[in-house]
Amino acid sequence: MTRECSLLLPRVCAALADPRQPGSDDTCLEKLLDWFRDLTEFDPTVQLVQDNPCLTEFITSVLALPEPSPSILSFTLRLAGILAASESCFQLLQQEKLLVRLFGRDGPVNSTVWEDASVRSGWVEGVHSMMHHQPALHFLCNGGGIDVIFTLQGDPSLFVASAANQLLVHMLILSVESETTKPLSTKDCDWPACAQMIIKHIEDSLQSSCVSHIEQSLKLLTSLFGSCRATWTEVLWLGIAKQIESFLTEETVQVQHVLANLLLNMAWSPVFCDTEGSFWALVTSALEHLTPVQAGPLAVGILRLYKCPQDVRIQALTVLLQPMDCILRAASQPLEYAGLLDESVSDPITVESLLSSKSSCASLLCQTLAHLEELLSLVRLPVDLPYTSLLRSLLTILKFCNGFLTPASPLGSTISRILINCFRVQMSAIDVLAALSERKGCDTLVGSLFDVLLAYLGSPNTSPIVLKKTFQATSEWLVRLQDRSNSQRQQTEKILEDVFLVLQKHLCSPCWEVRDSSLEFLTVLIKYLRDQDEFRQSLLSSEVPRLTENLLEDPESYVRASAVTAVGHLAFITHFAPESPVIGNQYNKENTIAKLQEILSTDTEGFPRRAVMSIFIEWLGEGCTGQLEDTEQFVSRVIQTVEHDLDWEVRLGALELVEVFCNQTICQLGLPKCPYAPVSPAVTSSNQQNGSLQIFCRAKVFSFLFQSLCDCDKPVGQRACDILLVLRSNFYPISTLTDSQETGDSPAEHSIAWLQRTLRQGGNEVDFQDPESVMLALGTIDLEELHDELSKSSDHVEKSPQSLLQDILATVGTIEENEADCY
């Protein structure tokens, strides 16, 4: 702790303990606790409390208040816990009888202020903070505190109840691991006293008839098995396994919904997943007895495991796929295609009844689809999914949702009526459909797949958000079509033709979200398919390019930004491809560049201007701006357009453009790309170096970079400094800089303040278009120091402990300079 903080701390403690003062801001109190936590971790001795007696005086003062404010009392409890985390400090606070007055029977527990949830929360957090050594453990268990925690497990505040559960887990682990003299086993199990109290509480709760008590203990066990992988957890489990197994078939006690998380956490623990027999038998029983909604999370969790018996994995997959199988069977009678499952784990009537109910159908399908998407997102699946049947089931769901399918079975008719226009299910199914595009084995259904996708794209009933997802799925499947054989090219061309017909309609939609999604879809297609002949032909023979350019003048800024991006990528086909088509004036390269530059200079919204910068950077990066002379003029025009732009992201984009331009120019002229490559004096004064330096000066690169160093938005200044450091290393090799500094040839190094004054005066001291002046500036300005200055967080002073203490004093009105009358 600094001397300044140690002087401020007594005043802060006095102000916080004074009931006449207005309460301090809770955020400040949280930061103050974080500071004390850092101090005790840095020095876990008693010195902090001994050097700052105001801390114990503060605790004593708060305890002496007849009615302390809940927030200050909660803060005091948490502070005492943090200080007592050190065993020596715990003993000191014990000697002064402070801990027993805070956490004992005569403390806040039996006062009216205990009714406030923040006090109960502070009590639990305080106990948790101090629970790092045996004296704290014994203090709580012997003083009746553990009974308070048992009660708080059922607290009406979910936050307090959860914190109490976590505290019991922490205490159980601490007790077993710090007080056990020899490893525990099923034959020789002698639990330490505190652990014994907690385990007895768990066993009593599980055997009670109170559902809430059973749930509390199941949640405690879930947390324990999720956080502790020690072998003694198996000893604990074997003592309660029979009781927990009975809950699966118990009708009077409904706690099955909690069991799935418990079993899943156990399955991830090496203590249980490596054992054969009883545990996996219990998992099998759970998959059979839990409802489909309850068993779903357990099933998908098991399918993510690599260590799992094959029969359990097959059973989990069966549980997960049952609703999808039911959909297939409901779509037609008799079944036209092979179903997903040969047999069911549980009674299929249960799934059918859930899908026949309006209240549960959509929820069950959305949960199942989310689990399938989760599995498909894995790089390597530990289980083989029946992709073709799964895809057929997804298409059936989507047809049900949009009324494209007339089912022959009564169940199918019921499901169809429930799912019609159900956006939740549509979106979930389309997400899984997109994920399936990366899996093999679905090629036989490509025609049916695009029939459904195109029907959704063309339907007026498709909502904008569903349409956006349909576009995303369509783009992923169109990219997949690239891998198809030449014999299937005719089908691909027909699909592309139909897609562009639908896209033309949506580009003219009165809904701006639809126009925006359509442009994003087009951009993605061009990114991935622009090298495919059939794609380019289908695109250019449609009205899509013309309609896209028209949207550069859309009244909605988001749409204009997306149009800029689409037009920019369209240019890779119409302007920059080796054999770009020339179809009328609409594809004139200069016209397109002029339109985008006009948007950059005149559009009143930031999004379109940022989009233009991104496109210009991409063009330049792919060498689409012509010869070096043309590129120089292009970059110069962009710099002059955006150097005073009000949007810092546009200015930052211009710096990225400059960086790409500089790298390309240096590479083209033969200078070393690596900033630290050795360069001889002969090379540094070569024509290549002078040439690139003159190009950068003519393009006003250095003028823009040095101006940007002083930008009011720090990311801009940092990027400019990074670029200048790289450029200096090319023009001023490290050896040259070091030699000149050692001999004193370089002028005194200047800071941002000097640079700001220079630029404010019109730059008379430095002509950034003169190569010699630029070289002088590069060698004069201490860019490393500027880099460090710019990298500093703007709140490095404001977030200091000293500033925090001053803020608290200012809040309670005890700093004189803050007491001026604001009126």
Side-chain angles (χ1 to χ4, degrees), residues 775-793:
M775 288 293 283
L776 181 64
L778 285 173
T780 299
I781 299 171
D782 188 347
L783 292 172
E784 283 81 5
E785 186 180 331
L786 291 184
H787 189 274
D788 292 342
E789 189 178 332
L790 289 165
S791 297
K792 275 185 186 174
S793 170

mmCIF file with all atom_site columns, all heavy atoms in Angstrom, residues 775-793:
data_model
loop_
_atom_site.group_PDB
_atom_site.id
_atom_site.type_symbol
_atom_site.label_atom_id
_atom_site.label_alt_id
_atom_site.label_comp_id
_atom_site.label_asym_id
_atom_site.label_entity_id
_atom_site.label_seq_id
_atom_site.pdbx_PDB_ins_code
_atom_site.Cartn_x
_atom_site.Cartn_y
_atom_site.Cartn_z
_atom_site.occupancy
_atom_site.B_iso_or_equiv
_atom_site.pdbx_formal_charge
_atom_site.auth_seq_id
_atom_site.auth_comp_id
_atom_site.auth_asym_id
_atom_site.auth_atom_id
_atom_site.pdbx_PDB_model_num
ATOM 1   N N   . MET A 1 775 ? 12.608 12.438 -43.425 1.00 0.00 ? 775 MET A N   1
ATOM 2   C CA  . MET A 1 775 ? 13.683 11.639 -42.826 1.00 0.00 ? 775 MET A CA  1
ATOM 3   C C   . MET A 1 775 ? 14.149 12.264 -41.512 1.00 0.00 ? 775 MET A C   1
ATOM 4   O O   . MET A 1 775 ? 14.426 11.565 -40.534 1.00 0.00 ? 775 MET A O   1
ATOM 5   C CB  . MET A 1 775 ? 14.857 11.532 -43.801 1.00 0.00 ? 775 MET A CB  1
ATOM 6   C CG  . MET A 1 775 ? 14.592 10.635 -45.008 1.00 0.00 ? 775 MET A CG  1
ATOM 7   S SD  . MET A 1 775 ? 14.415 8.897  -44.563 1.00 0.00 ? 775 MET A SD  1
ATOM 8   C CE  . MET A 1 775 ? 16.121 8.441  -44.305 1.00 0.00 ? 775 MET A CE  1
ATOM 9   N N   . LEU A 1 776 ? 14.193 13.596 -41.482 1.00 0.00 ? 776 LEU A N   1
ATOM 10  C CA  . LEU A 1 776 ? 14.590 14.286 -40.254 1.00 0.00 ? 776 LEU A CA  1
ATOM 11  C C   . LEU A 1 776 ? 13.562 14.033 -39.147 1.00 0.00 ? 776 LEU A C   1
ATOM 12  O O   . LEU A 1 776 ? 13.920 13.748 -37.997 1.00 0.00 ? 776 LEU A O   1
ATOM 13  C CB  . LEU A 1 776 ? 14.716 15.794 -40.518 1.00 0.00 ? 776 LEU A CB  1
ATOM 14  C CG  . LEU A 1 776 ? 15.150 16.652 -39.321 1.00 0.00 ? 776 LEU A CG  1
ATOM 15  C CD1 . LEU A 1 776 ? 16.555 16.283 -38.879 1.00 0.00 ? 776 LEU A CD1 1
ATOM 16  C CD2 . LEU A 1 776 ? 15.066 18.131 -39.682 1.00 0.00 ? 776 LEU A CD2 1
ATOM 17  N N   . ALA A 1 777 ? 12.270 14.096 -39.513 1.00 0.00 ? 777 ALA A N   1
ATOM 18  C CA  . ALA A 1 777 ? 11.214 13.870 -38.525 1.00 0.00 ? 777 ALA A CA  1
ATOM 19  C C   . ALA A 1 777 ? 11.247 12.434 -38.005 1.00 0.00 ? 777 ALA A C   1
ATOM 20  O O   . ALA A 1 777 ? 11.089 12.179 -36.812 1.00 0.00 ? 777 ALA A O   1
ATOM 21  C CB  . ALA A 1 777 ? 9.845  14.168 -39.139 1.00 0.00 ? 777 ALA A CB  1
ATOM 22  N N   . LEU A 1 778 ? 11.474 11.474 -38.904 1.00 0.00 ? 778 LEU A N   1
ATOM 23  C CA  . LEU A 1 778 ? 11.539 10.073 -38.494 1.00 0.00 ? 778 LEU A CA  1
ATOM 24  C C   . LEU A 1 778 ? 12.679 9.816  -37.521 1.00 0.00 ? 778 LEU A C   1
ATOM 25  O O   . LEU A 1 778 ? 12.573 8.997  -36.616 1.00 0.00 ? 778 LEU A O   1
ATOM 26  C CB  . LEU A 1 778 ? 11.686 9.159  -39.720 1.00 0.00 ? 778 LEU A CB  1
ATOM 27  C CG  . LEU A 1 778 ? 10.444 8.939  -40.585 1.00 0.00 ? 778 LEU A CG  1
ATOM 28  C CD1 . LEU A 1 778 ? 10.791 8.153  -41.835 1.00 0.00 ? 778 LEU A CD1 1
ATOM 29  C CD2 . LEU A 1 778 ? 9.361  8.206  -39.802 1.00 0.00 ? 778 LEU A CD2 1
ATOM 30  N N   . GLY A 1 779 ? 13.789 10.509 -37.726 1.00 0.00 ? 779 GLY A N   1
ATOM 31  C CA  . GLY A 1 779 ? 14.932 10.331 -36.843 1.00 0.00 ? 779 GLY A CA  1
ATOM 32  C C   . GLY A 1 779 ? 14.859 11.163 -35.583 1.00 0.00 ? 779 GLY A C   1
ATOM 33  O O   . GLY A 1 779 ? 15.595 10.927 -34.621 1.00 0.00 ? 779 GLY A O   1
ATOM 34  N N   . THR A 1 780 ? 13.969 12.157 -35.592 1.00 0.00 ? 780 THR A N   1
ATOM 35  C CA  . THR A 1 780 ? 13.900 13.091 -34.462 1.00 0.00 ? 780 THR A CA  1
ATOM 36  C C   . THR A 1 780 ? 12.861 12.679 -33.428 1.00 0.00 ? 780 THR A C   1
ATOM 37  O O   . THR A 1 780 ? 13.119 12.707 -32.224 1.00 0.00 ? 780 THR A O   1
ATOM 38  C CB  . THR A 1 780 ? 13.548 14.504 -34.988 1.00 0.00 ? 780 THR A CB  1
ATOM 39  O OG1 . THR A 1 780 ? 14.574 14.913 -35.873 1.00 0.00 ? 780 THR A OG1 1
ATOM 40  C CG2 . THR A 1 780 ? 13.418 15.487 -33.833 1.00 0.00 ? 780 THR A CG2 1
ATOM 41  N N   . ILE A 1 781 ? 11.687 12.293 -33.915 1.00 0.00 ? 781 ILE A N   1
ATOM 42  C CA  . ILE A 1 781 ? 10.583 11.994 -32.990 1.00 0.00 ? 781 ILE A CA  1
ATOM 43  C C   . ILE A 1 781 ? 10.793 10.630 -32.355 1.00 0.00 ? 781 ILE A C   1
ATOM 44  O O   . ILE A 1 781 ? 11.067 9.642  -33.039 1.00 0.00 ? 781 ILE A O   1
ATOM 45  C CB  . ILE A 1 781 ? 9.234  12.049 -33.735 1.00 0.00 ? 781 ILE A CB  1
ATOM 46  C CG1 . ILE A 1 781 ? 9.016  13.451 -34.309 1.00 0.00 ? 781 ILE A CG1 1
ATOM 47  C CG2 . ILE A 1 781 ? 8.090  11.661 -32.823 1.00 0.00 ? 781 ILE A CG2 1
ATOM 48  C CD1 . ILE A 1 781 ? 7.832  13.557 -35.239 1.00 0.00 ? 781 ILE A CD1 1
ATOM 49  N N   . ASP A 1 782 ? 10.675 10.564 -31.052 1.00 0.00 ? 782 ASP A N   1
ATOM 50  C CA  . ASP A 1 782 ? 10.842 9.309  -30.316 1.00 0.00 ? 782 ASP A CA  1
ATOM 51  C C   . ASP A 1 782 ? 9.558  8.488  -30.441 1.00 0.00 ? 782 ASP A C   1
ATOM 52  O O   . ASP A 1 782 ? 8.661  8.562  -29.596 1.00 0.00 ? 782 ASP A O   1
ATOM 53  C CB  . ASP A 1 782 ? 11.160 9.596  -28.848 1.00 0.00 ? 782 ASP A CB  1
ATOM 54  C CG  . ASP A 1 782 ? 11.542 8.337  -28.087 1.00 0.00 ? 782 ASP A CG  1
ATOM 55  O OD1 . ASP A 1 782 ? 11.311 7.237  -28.637 1.00 0.00 ? 782 ASP A OD1 1
ATOM 56  O OD2 . ASP A 1 782 ? 12.048 8.445  -26.961 1.00 0.00 ? 782 ASP A OD2 1
ATOM 57  N N   . LEU A 1 783 ? 9.493  7.682  -31.511 1.00 0.00 ? 783 LEU A N   1
ATOM 58  C CA  . LEU A 1 783 ? 8.276  6.917  -31.780 1.00 0.00 ? 783 LEU A CA  1
ATOM 59  C C   . LEU A 1 783 ? 8.037  5.830  -30.738 1.00 0.00 ? 783 LEU A C   1
ATOM 60  O O   . LEU A 1 783 ? 6.885  5.486  -30.441 1.00 0.00 ? 783 LEU A O   1
ATOM 61  C CB  . LEU A 1 783 ? 8.355  6.290  -33.179 1.00 0.00 ? 783 LEU A CB  1
ATOM 62  C CG  . LEU A 1 783 ? 8.314  7.286  -34.347 1.00 0.00 ? 783 LEU A CG  1
ATOM 63  C CD1 . LEU A 1 783 ? 8.588  6.576  -35.662 1.00 0.00 ? 783 LEU A CD1 1
ATOM 64  C CD2 . LEU A 1 783 ? 6.966  7.999  -34.399 1.00 0.00 ? 783 LEU A CD2 1
ATOM 65  N N   . GLU A 1 784 ? 9.117  5.265  -30.182 1.00 0.00 ? 784 GLU A N   1
ATOM 66  C CA  . GLU A 1 784 ? 8.942  4.247  -29.142 1.00 0.00 ? 784 GLU A CA  1
ATOM 67  C C   . GLU A 1 784 ? 8.254  4.836  -27.917 1.00 0.00 ? 784 GLU A C   1
ATOM 68  O O   . GLU A 1 784 ? 7.345  4.230  -27.333 1.00 0.00 ? 784 GLU A O   1
ATOM 69  C CB  . GLU A 1 784 ? 10.297 3.638  -28.734 1.00 0.00 ? 784 GLU A CB  1
ATOM 70  C CG  . GLU A 1 784 ? 10.864 2.638  -29.719 1.00 0.00 ? 784 GLU A CG  1
ATOM 71  C CD  . GLU A 1 784 ? 11.579 3.309  -30.888 1.00 0.00 ? 784 GLU A CD  1
ATOM 72  O OE1 . GLU A 1 784 ? 11.713 4.562  -30.860 1.00 0.00 ? 784 GLU A OE1 1
ATOM 73  O OE2 . GLU A 1 784 ? 11.991 2.596  -31.809 1.00 0.00 ? 784 GLU A OE2 1
ATOM 74  N N   . GLU A 1 785 ? 8.692  6.034  -27.521 1.00 0.00 ? 785 GLU A N   1
ATOM 75  C CA  . GLU A 1 785 ? 8.079  6.680  -26.359 1.00 0.00 ? 785 GLU A CA  1
ATOM 76  C C   . GLU A 1 785 ? 6.622  7.030  -26.652 1.00 0.00 ? 785 GLU A C   1
ATOM 77  O O   . GLU A 1 785 ? 5.746  6.867  -25.804 1.00 0.00 ? 785 GLU A O   1
ATOM 78  C CB  . GLU A 1 785 ? 8.860  7.937  -25.988 1.00 0.00 ? 785 GLU A CB  1
ATOM 79  C CG  . GLU A 1 785 ? 8.365  8.579  -24.689 1.00 0.00 ? 785 GLU A CG  1
ATOM 80  C CD  . GLU A 1 785 ? 9.146  9.833  -24.330 1.00 0.00 ? 785 GLU A CD  1
ATOM 81  O OE1 . GLU A 1 785 ? 10.322 9.932  -24.691 1.00 0.00 ? 785 GLU A OE1 1
ATOM 82  O OE2 . GLU A 1 785 ? 8.545  10.710 -23.691 1.00 0.00 ? 785 GLU A OE2 1
ATOM 83  N N   . LEU A 1 786 ? 6.379  7.508  -27.876 1.00 0.00 ? 786 LEU A N   1
ATOM 84  C CA  . LEU A 1 786 ? 5.002  7.816  -28.264 1.00 0.00 ? 786 LEU A CA  1
ATOM 85  C C   . LEU A 1 786 ? 4.144  6.552  -28.241 1.00 0.00 ? 786 LEU A C   1
ATOM 86  O O   . LEU A 1 786 ? 2.984  6.573  -27.827 1.00 0.00 ? 786 LEU A O   1
ATOM 87  C CB  . LEU A 1 786 ? 4.961  8.422  -29.668 1.00 0.00 ? 786 LEU A CB  1
ATOM 88  C CG  . LEU A 1 786 ? 5.533  9.824  -29.844 1.00 0.00 ? 786 LEU A CG  1
ATOM 89  C CD1 . LEU A 1 786 ? 5.326  10.293 -31.267 1.00 0.00 ? 786 LEU A CD1 1
ATOM 90  C CD2 . LEU A 1 786 ? 4.881  10.791 -28.880 1.00 0.00 ? 786 LEU A CD2 1
ATOM 91  N N   . HIS A 1 787 ? 4.724  5.437  -28.703 1.00 0.00 ? 787 HIS A N   1
ATOM 92  C CA  . HIS A 1 787 ? 3.999  4.176  -28.722 1.00 0.00 ? 787 HIS A CA  1
ATOM 93  C C   . HIS A 1 787 ? 3.598  3.769  -27.307 1.00 0.00 ? 787 HIS A C   1
ATOM 94  O O   . HIS A 1 787 ? 2.463  3.346  -27.048 1.00 0.00 ? 787 HIS A O   1
ATOM 95  C CB  . HIS A 1 787 ? 4.864  3.093  -29.372 1.00 0.00 ? 787 HIS A CB  1
ATOM 96  C CG  . HIS A 1 787 ? 4.133  1.805  -29.627 1.00 0.00 ? 787 HIS A CG  1
ATOM 97  N ND1 . HIS A 1 787 ? 4.019  0.812  -28.677 1.00 0.00 ? 787 HIS A ND1 1
ATOM 98  C CD2 . HIS A 1 787 ? 3.453  1.366  -30.716 1.00 0.00 ? 787 HIS A CD2 1
ATOM 99  C CE1 . HIS A 1 787 ? 3.314  -0.181 -29.178 1.00 0.00 ? 787 HIS A CE1 1
ATOM 100 N NE2 . HIS A 1 787 ? 2.958  0.116  -30.413 1.00 0.00 ? 787 HIS A NE2 1
ATOM 101 N N   . ASP A 1 788 ? 4.543  3.907  -26.363 1.00 0.00 ? 788 ASP A N   1
ATOM 102 C CA  . ASP A 1 788 ? 4.243  3.584  -24.963 1.00 0.00 ? 788 ASP A CA  1
ATOM 103 C C   . ASP A 1 788 ? 3.169  4.503  -24.400 1.00 0.00 ? 788 ASP A C   1
ATOM 104 O O   . ASP A 1 788 ? 2.269  4.075  -23.668 1.00 0.00 ? 788 ASP A O   1
ATOM 105 C CB  . ASP A 1 788 ? 5.510  3.695  -24.109 1.00 0.00 ? 788 ASP A CB  1
ATOM 106 C CG  . ASP A 1 788 ? 6.526  2.617  -24.460 1.00 0.00 ? 788 ASP A CG  1
ATOM 107 O OD1 . ASP A 1 788 ? 6.121  1.622  -25.095 1.00 0.00 ? 788 ASP A OD1 1
ATOM 108 O OD2 . ASP A 1 788 ? 7.709  2.784  -24.144 1.00 0.00 ? 788 ASP A OD2 1
ATOM 109 N N   . GLU A 1 789 ? 3.264  5.783  -24.756 1.00 0.00 ? 789 GLU A N   1
ATOM 110 C CA  . GLU A 1 789 ? 2.296  6.767  -24.260 1.00 0.00 ? 789 GLU A CA  1
ATOM 111 C C   . GLU A 1 789 ? 0.899  6.469  -24.788 1.00 0.00 ? 789 GLU A C   1
ATOM 112 O O   . GLU A 1 789 ? -0.090 6.529  -24.061 1.00 0.00 ? 789 GLU A O   1
ATOM 113 C CB  . GLU A 1 789 ? 2.744  8.168  -24.686 1.00 0.00 ? 789 GLU A CB  1
ATOM 114 C CG  . GLU A 1 789 ? 1.936  9.295  -24.059 1.00 0.00 ? 789 GLU A CG  1
ATOM 115 C CD  . GLU A 1 789 ? 2.454  10.665 -24.473 1.00 0.00 ? 789 GLU A CD  1
ATOM 116 O OE1 . GLU A 1 789 ? 3.657  10.787 -24.762 1.00 0.00 ? 789 GLU A OE1 1
ATOM 117 O OE2 . GLU A 1 789 ? 1.639  11.600 -24.520 1.00 0.00 ? 789 GLU A OE2 1
ATOM 118 N N   . LEU A 1 790 ? 0.830  6.114  -26.088 1.00 0.00 ? 790 LEU A N   1
ATOM 119 C CA  . LEU A 1 790 ? -0.466 5.824  -26.697 1.00 0.00 ? 790 LEU A CA  1
ATOM 120 C C   . LEU A 1 790 ? -1.046 4.492  -26.210 1.00 0.00 ? 790 LEU A C   1
ATOM 121 O O   . LEU A 1 790 ? -2.259 4.297  -26.212 1.00 0.00 ? 790 LEU A O   1
ATOM 122 C CB  . LEU A 1 790 ? -0.331 5.789  -28.231 1.00 0.00 ? 790 LEU A CB  1
ATOM 123 C CG  . LEU A 1 790 ? -0.090 7.140  -28.902 1.00 0.00 ? 790 LEU A CG  1
ATOM 124 C CD1 . LEU A 1 790 ? 0.397  6.937  -30.332 1.00 0.00 ? 790 LEU A CD1 1
ATOM 125 C CD2 . LEU A 1 790 ? -1.357 7.981  -28.890 1.00 0.00 ? 790 LEU A CD2 1
ATOM 126 N N   . SER A 1 791 ? -0.168 3.575  -25.821 1.00 0.00 ? 791 SER A N   1
ATOM 127 C CA  . SER A 1 791 ? -0.630 2.257  -25.368 1.00 0.00 ? 791 SER A CA  1
ATOM 128 C C   . SER A 1 791 ? -1.173 2.288  -23.956 1.00 0.00 ? 791 SER A C   1
ATOM 129 O O   . SER A 1 791 ? -1.857 1.360  -23.526 1.00 0.00 ? 791 SER A O   1
ATOM 130 C CB  . SER A 1 791 ? 0.525  1.243  -25.436 1.00 0.00 ? 791 SER A CB  1
ATOM 131 O OG  . SER A 1 791 ? 0.946  1.093  -26.772 1.00 0.00 ? 791 SER A OG  1
ATOM 132 N N   . LYS A 1 792 ? -0.853 3.351  -23.221 1.00 0.00 ? 792 LYS A N   1
ATOM 133 C CA  . LYS A 1 792 ? -1.358 3.454  -21.850 1.00 0.00 ? 792 LYS A CA  1
ATOM 134 C C   . LYS A 1 792 ? -2.875 3.596  -21.868 1.00 0.00 ? 792 LYS A C   1
ATOM 135 O O   . LYS A 1 792 ? -3.425 4.344  -22.666 1.00 0.00 ? 792 LYS A O   1
ATOM 136 C CB  . LYS A 1 792 ? -0.765 4.683  -21.155 1.00 0.00 ? 792 LYS A CB  1
ATOM 137 C CG  . LYS A 1 792 ? 0.592  4.446  -20.517 1.00 0.00 ? 792 LYS A CG  1
ATOM 138 C CD  . LYS A 1 792 ? 1.015  5.691  -19.765 1.00 0.00 ? 792 LYS A CD  1
ATOM 139 C CE  . LYS A 1 792 ? 2.425  5.557  -19.227 1.00 0.00 ? 792 LYS A CE  1
ATOM 140 N NZ  . LYS A 1 792 ? 2.881  6.823  -18.610 1.00 0.00 ? 792 LYS A NZ  1
ATOM 141 N N   . SER A 1 793 ? -3.509 2.880  -20.970 1.00 0.00 ? 793 SER A N   1
ATOM 142 C CA  . SER A 1 793 ? -4.960 3.019  -20.847 1.00 0.00 ? 793 SER A CA  1
ATOM 143 C C   . SER A 1 793 ? -5.280 4.426  -20.358 1.00 0.00 ? 793 SER A C   1
ATOM 144 O O   . SER A 1 793 ? -4.585 4.967  -19.505 1.00 0.00 ? 793 SER A O   1
ATOM 145 C CB  . SER A 1 793 ? -5.493 1.987  -19.855 1.00 0.00 ? 793 SER A CB  1
ATOM 146 O OG  . SER A 1 793 ? -6.830 2.236  -19.557 1.00 0.00 ? 793 SER A OG  1
#
